[in-house]
Amino acid sequence: HEDKAKYGTSEVFMKPASAGTGVIAGRAVRAVVEVAGITNILTKCYGSRNYHNVVKATIKGLAAMKSNEMSLKQRGKIKGEEA
């Protein structure tokens, strides 16, 4: 899912990309995303391009993301169950 994260005056927008797209990101975001093992993602930085703040915003955004299984568990659903 799409995600926006903010740290200080830096804001990072992250969006999953289709398979084969690769990592479309600036230097700061690319470093964090590659270490996290994400292979297909589109990103955009808004506001301040301060390297430190962009890295912190990226980490904050990735930490806030939830897997489908976590989301279903929080809602009391079972994987594969119809609504």
Side-chain angles (χ1 to χ4, degrees):
H1 61 280
E2 298 177 0
D3 189 31
K4 269 190 180 178
K6 189 170 183 176
Y7 185 86
T9 57
S10 298
E11 188 172 355
V12 176
F13 174 75
M14 295 176 279
K15 179 179 178 179
S18 58
T21 302
V23 177
I24 309 295
R27 185 177 71 160
V29 177
R30 177 181 295 273
V32 174
V33 168
E34 286 180 349
V35 168
I38 299 171
T39 55
N40 297 303
I41 190 166
L42 303 170
T43 65
K44 177 70 179 166
C45 294
Y46 298 103
S48 172
R49 303 275 192 309
N50 180 314
Y51 190 82
H52 179 76
N53 288 349
V54 172
V55 168
K56 290 276 194 170
T58 304
I59 293 170
K60 185 176 176 182
L62 292 175
M65 287 187 181
K66 298 177 186 173
S67 68
N68 289 338
E69 290 79 20
M70 279 182 78
S71 181
L72 289 172
K73 186 176 178 181
Q74 286 180 337
R75 293 186 295 158
K77 304 278 184 180
I78 299 171
K79 187 176 180 179
E81 181 181 289
E82 294 293 321

